[in-house]
Amino acid sequence: MDLNKWLLGSGCCTALGVAAGFVYLYDSPAESMLVSQQWYQQPLLLFFSGMLLLALLLNVLAIFGVDFHRTPLFVVSRDKDDLSHFTQLAQQFLRQQAASPLTGETNYYLQREYGVLYYVQTGVDMPLDIVQLRHIFQQMLRHQCHSALALVPDKMQSPAQIFALEANIRILDKQQLRNWIKS
């Protein structure tokens, strides 16, 4: 799910919950009874609580970068030709950039002259998430790089993109990689 959808859902839940809370407080008597005798106030209080809890849950899921479309249960096997085409594009891009492979780290390449780290996602890797992005960032720090490029076969739509932008990690999918090579 896209980060904007998480935030929009959380904002709507919060707004509905706050509106229900205002209606509840506006019609409630000045007494300290939480549940009054009017028929609609108890459901309003439950709706208020439910919406705020749902908003909290959506915010927590957005922070951790949960992506329901790409969980291991729903991973669709990719065509081998498609993966080999992506690998060829990635290797051509790395040759253009004069990046050399890192010793001891598979799928990582380094261009020392400009201080850029490259990561190529393979077909056996799980979709790029916050844990993998942290590992890329740690490699950047270890090799004193100021930026990184992650080459992924599929477009990444995850809240982890915010972390990637903050860590100066640019993500290129197959289409963006093809366009970069052509230009």
Side-chain angles (χ1 to χ4, degrees), residues 65-127:
V66 174
D67 191 1
F68 289 110
H69 296 297
R70 303 186 91 159
T71 57
L73 296 175
F74 301 112
V75 170
V76 178
S77 64
R78 234 181 256 127
D79 188 15
K80 288 184 181 181
D81 292 336
D82 190 39
L83 283 175
S84 66
H85 182 65
F86 167 74
T87 306
Q88 290 172 356
L89 281 174
Q91 292 302 324
Q92 182 181 357
F93 175 77
L94 292 170
R95 280 191 301 273
Q96 283 181 353
Q97 302 300 316
S100 58
L102 280 179
T103 54
E105 289 290 334
T106 58
N107 303 334
Y108 285 92
Y109 299 85
L110 182 63
Q111 185 184 38
R112 293 195 188 276
E113 182 180 339
Y114 296 113
V116 179
L117 181 75
Y118 298 94
Y119 168 74
V120 179
Q121 185 180 16
T122 61
V124 294
D125 293 339
M126 292 303 295

Side-chain angles (χ1 to χ4, degrees), residues 6-79:
W6 285 111
L7 296 177
L8 180 66
S10 174
C12 288
C13 289
T14 303
L16 288 172
V18 168
F22 280 134
V23 170
Y24 175 81
L25 290 175
Y26 179 74
D27 285 342
S28 70
E31 303 156 6
S32 64
M33 290 179 25
L34 251 171
V35 180
S36 67
Q37 299 300 326
Q38 295 179 351
W39 66 272
Y40 62 87
Q41 287 195 329
Q42 187 173 8
L44 269 177
L45 186 61
L46 292 174
F47 184 75
F48 168 76
S49 302
M51 285 295 109
L52 290 184
L53 287 175
L54 184 60
L56 177 67
L57 176 70
L58 288 174
N59 284 331
V60 168
L61 290 175
I63 287 172
F64 290 114
V66 174
D67 191 1
F68 289 110
H69 296 297
R70 303 186 91 159
T71 57
L73 296 175
F74 301 112
V75 170
V76 178
S77 64
R78 234 181 256 127
D79 188 15

